[in-house]
Amino acid sequence: MTEVLAPPVALAFERRLARAAAAGDEEAFARLYETHRLAVFRIARAVAGNDETARDVLQDTFLKVHESLSRWRGDSRLRTWIVRIAVRTAIDHRRRAVRHRGPDVDPIEPGHDPRARLDDAVALRQVQALSERLAGQQGLILRLRLLGDLTNAEIAVALGLQEANVRMQLSKAIRKLRELL
Amino acid sequence: MSEEDNERLQPWIDEEAGLEAHAGDDPLAAVLVAARRQRDDIPEALIGPVLENVRAAAGRRRERRVPVSSRVLLGLAAALALLMARPPLRLPDVVTPETPRTHILKSAVYLETESEGRVVHLDLKVYEPID
């Protein structure tokens, strides 16, 4: 609902919802979870590369949201704030996983949806594997844009970069990806 | 591949258009589009029960935090009271405003803390007989 409302109204609505959730209103928190869970899971899977870790990231992200909602100042969209927590949490989980057992991606499977094609699963695996070979943050930015479904502005806020820098990194990532493919 | 191939995907990089338009004639666009299709395959079972876990974990953290702090405060208060009383500790059976002035107040500690929404008061007073 919030997406179709004018920004000031949407912000006021989000503030009310966040205040209620922070005060212990479980229904308000559930509503908040329902609204943002898919976005958080996409980000988590894009960064972590597998469902199991992504689920941990989803849980950890909303636990952090639950604990710090009262500190959300409400001067930006709630989604922006949650996305930033999700990206940072996912990066932390990934770092831990890489330190312990190397990059972890799901085996090639057609997916959970019976309509999903094996080609799609192969493509996803291919993008994940190739993005590991990109320099600096290019791989992460590409995965957040393509698989996390984030805008350049959201990626910039989450990673503390300028939006123009994100666009440039993405351009370089595409160029390199074409060479690697 | 030429620079033109990369230029074709620039609108997607700039967030102005989808990749789908080029998936037919650009192998990279085709791979990206297919990967994105797979991205959206998220079953409810993966994300549904997480909310309950979050609530349970948040509850456990709260439980862990409050009683521990209460116990620490109570322990500190008791230790402080004992230190200030100097043994041997002799307390009257009952001390009320009507109690004959046979004892004097040696030390007093008052603490207030909150646990699970209940306020816990701790009022420790140590009296010493008047010689």
Side-chain angles (χ1 to χ4, degrees):
Chain A
M1 277 302 284
T2 55
E3 282 73 18
V4 296
L5 299 172
V9 180
L11 265 176
F13 172 77
E14 286 181 342
R15 278 195 208 110
R16 272 204 308 278
L17 191 67
R19 261 203 303 272
D25 182 339
E26 297 220 339
E27 210 172 297
F29 187 75
R31 198 162 171 189
L32 203 145
Y33 175 76
E34 288 297 322
T35 309
H36 298 283
R37 62 184 186 156
L38 267 177
V40 170
F41 189 79
R42 271 201 197 103
I43 292 166
R45 195 155 69 171
V47 177
N50 69 84
D51 286 353
E52 197 189 328
T53 311
R55 205 162 176 271
D56 289 343
V57 171
L58 176 69
Q59 193 166 305
D60 213 5
T61 298
F62 277 98
L63 192 53
K64 287 175 183 172
V65 167
H66 193 281
E67 284 179 342
S68 50
L69 253 182
S70 56
R71 293 196 294 275
W72 176 59
R73 293 194 304 274
D75 47 8
S76 64
R77 296 299 300 262
L78 191 57
R79 177 186 154 93
T80 308
W81 183 69
I82 293 175
V83 161
R84 191 163 50 199
I85 295 174
V87 170
R88 283 167 194 247
T89 305
I91 291 173
D92 285 347
H93 274 258
R94 185 184 156 84
R95 276 193 192 128
R96 279 203 291 273
V98 170
R99 212 178 298 140
H100 290 120
R101 56 174 195 273
D104 202 7
V105 289
D106 279 336
I108 297 175
E109 286 172 5
H112 308 281
D113 185 341
R115 293 163 302 178
R117 296 181 312 174
L118 186 61
D119 295 354
D120 297 350
V122 171
L124 177 64
R125 177 69 181 271
Q126 202 173 11
V127 169
Q128 283 171 331
L130 290 178
S131 73
E132 299 288 343
R133 296 170 61 186
L134 299 176
Q137 289 185 306
Q138 284 172 23
L140 177 64
I141 290 171
L142 176 77
R143 289 199 303 275
L144 286 174
R145 178 85 176 88
L146 183 79
L147 309 176
D149 200 24
L150 294 186
T151 64
N152 291 341
E154 285 173 328
I155 296 170
V157 170
L159 298 181
L161 302 171
Q162 294 291 322
E163 199 178 330
N165 189 1
V166 170
R167 205 178 298 117
M168 189 182 71
Q169 300 278 354
L170 208 48
S171 255
K172 286 183 178 171
I174 289 293
R175 205 167 289 136
K176 186 70 183 169
L177 213 56
R178 202 180 285 285
E179 285 171 28
L180 295 171
L181 201 66
Chain B
M1 288 288 171
S2 68
E3 198 53 36
E4 269 176 42
D5 293 318
N6 294 324
E7 287 299 317
R8 273 209 300 263
L9 297 190
Q10 193 61 40
W12 173 71
I13 292 168
D14 294 337
E15 304 182 290
E16 287 164 11
L19 293 163
E20 285 77 4
H22 304 293
D25 56 359
D26 183 342
L28 178 59
V31 168
L32 297 180
V33 166
R36 202 162 58 172
R37 266 201 304 268
Q38 180 79 357
R39 163 196 86 183
D40 292 326
D41 178 26
I42 301 172
E44 177 64 26
L46 267 179
I47 56 176
V50 168
L51 179 59
E52 290 313 310
N53 292 349
V54 170
R55 282 175 174 156
R60 276 198 302 276
R61 283 194 190 186
R62 266 200 307 275
E63 274 171 25
R64 244 193 346 253
R65 221 164 22 221
V66 177
V68 164
S69 64
S70 299
R71 279 199 298 272
V72 169
L73 281 175
L74 288 170
L76 277 174
L80 188 62
L82 283 172
L83 274 173
M84 291 169 78
R86 274 187 268 144
L89 191 65
R90 286 181 297 172
L91 296 176
D93 292 336
V94 182
V95 178
T96 67
E98 290 77 36
T99 302
R101 291 183 174 277
T102 55
H103 293 74
I104 56 163
L105 183 64
K106 183 70 183 170
S107 61
V109 176
Y110 179 77
L111 286 170
E112 189 179 301
T113 184
E114 196 180 331
S115 172
E116 293 288 299
R118 288 172 302 156
V119 177
V120 178
H121 302 277
L122 179 72
D123 194 358
L124 281 179
K125 287 188 173 72
V126 177
Y127 291 86
E128 199 170 64
I130 300 169
D131 293 328

